[in-house]
Amino acid sequence: MVKKLSPDKLTVALPKGRLFDQTIQLFNSCGILDRTVSQNSRKLILETEGFNFLLVRAKDVPTYVEYGVADIGVAGDDVLLESGADVYRPVDLGIGACTIMVAGLPEDRDRYFSNPTTLKISTKYPNIAREFFGKKGIKVQIIELYGSIELAPLVGLSDFIVDIVETGRTLRENGLVVIEEIRPSSAKLIVNRVSYKTKNELITDIIEKLENSLVKG
Ligand code: PRP
């Protein structure tokens, strides 16, 4: 049982969920991790010779890194923007590409573009949604959900949703369409600002390994 993480090793926060398998593959391919790991593991700390890996919920990765419990981590722009965490983002990892979108039922498209009054928006990204509509001068009521966001307009919980779209399959299978693009998102390596100074050699080595593997494709 690990009570304290060894300070000599780098501690890495791995995001459970859609980025997990691609992150493990990337870390395998550049020699950071020498084994496969299942995100269904009940064990939440994995120790290797050089690293402590923490299996955390994707949304929590910026928190672990910002507070310095993890020195580095992997997080999508969607999660980073939503959290507003103060961390370095030195490498775009070229995985987890998706787009943050406004989506809804096709018959509601005209209402969206015709100076609507208050729109009801369901999302797991309340901060991103508030900022986006604030800049457009559209009043919104945000209804925060934690998953299956596409259900909300189908059952009248909200007029539209703000969510990530990767393949577009979830929208299609639920008869929803993209109304407007907010911004693209991809996974970033994130680094704690203090660790970047105190463990600079170890972190620079990781950054180089990741960048080399990205160049090779
Ligand atoms: C995400 C997102 C969409 C879906 C988009 O959900 O919230 O629902 O993936 O992917 P697609 O365009 O390839 O269909 P996730 O799988 O994380 O599950 P959740 O509904 O539990 O949040």
Side-chain angles (χ1 to χ4, degrees):
M1 178 73 190
V2 183
K3 288 224 176 109
K4 276 202 176 149
L5 299 169
S6 159
D8 304 331
K9 294 182 183 179
L10 268 191
T11 298
V12 186
L14 295 174
K16 294 212 266 183
R18 47 189 285 280
L19 286 180
F20 190 84
D21 290 342
Q22 287 172 286
T23 301
I24 298 298
Q25 270 172 27
L26 178 62
F27 282 14
N28 285 155
S29 72
C30 56
I32 298 171
L33 183 62
D34 60 359
R35 66 195 81 166
T36 57
V37 185
S38 162
Q39 61 177 314
N40 298 324
S41 163
R42 293 280 163 179
K43 201 162 154 38
L44 302 176
I45 301 176
L46 167 72
E47 288 178 276
T48 66
E49 206 175 308
F51 301 94
N52 302 302
F53 292 96
L54 310 181
L55 275 65
V56 308
R57 205 165 166 182
K59 229 179 161 174
D60 295 333
V61 168
T63 308
Y64 279 90
V65 174
E66 184 177 28
Y67 283 85
V69 172
D71 301 300
I72 64 175
V74 172
D77 289 315
D78 55 336
V79 164
L80 286 168
L81 272 176
E82 184 61 27
S83 81
D86 182 22
V87 292
Y88 281 129
R89 298 156 203 208
V91 188
D92 186 325
L93 298 173
I95 57 174
C98 59
T99 310
I100 309 172
M101 304 276 202
V102 181
L105 288 161
E107 57 267 36
D108 289 334
R109 176 188 278 276
D110 289 349
R111 185 152 70 90
Y112 181 88
F113 288 108
S114 59
N115 297 321
T117 51
T118 303
L119 294 179
K120 278 201 271 181
I121 307 290
S122 289
T123 186
K124 46 186 169 186
Y125 303 104
N127 295 329
I128 293 175
R130 227 172 260 124
E131 193 192 342
F132 178 72
F133 288 107
K135 277 191 185 148
K136 288 171 77 80
I138 296 176
K139 283 204 182 107
V140 288
Q141 178 191 349
I142 304 287
I143 301 169
E144 187 170 4
L145 295 175
Y146 297 93
S148 301
I149 314 298
E150 291 81 358
L151 183 60
L154 303 181
V155 296
L157 179 63
S158 66
D159 304 311
F160 300 95
I161 62 171
V162 166
D163 200 7
I164 53 163
V165 176
E166 192 172 352
T167 63
R169 190 172 158 197
T170 315
L171 288 186
R172 270 196 308 280
E173 292 196 1
N174 291 288
L176 300 177
V177 292
V178 169
I179 305 283
E180 195 173 13
E181 181 175 324
I182 297 183
R183 59 159 287 159
S185 169
S186 63
K188 303 287 186 289
L189 180 79
I190 61 171
V191 179
N192 173 269
R193 292 190 180 275
V194 174
S195 302
Y196 192 66
K197 293 186 184 131
T198 55
K199 297 184 178 178
N200 187 267
E201 219 169 293
L202 292 172
I203 291 172
T204 305
D205 181 54
I206 297 292
I207 292 173
E208 274 171 19
K209 281 184 172 139
L210 287 166
E211 283 176 342
N212 287 340
S213 117
L214 292 174
V215 170
K216 282 185 209 142

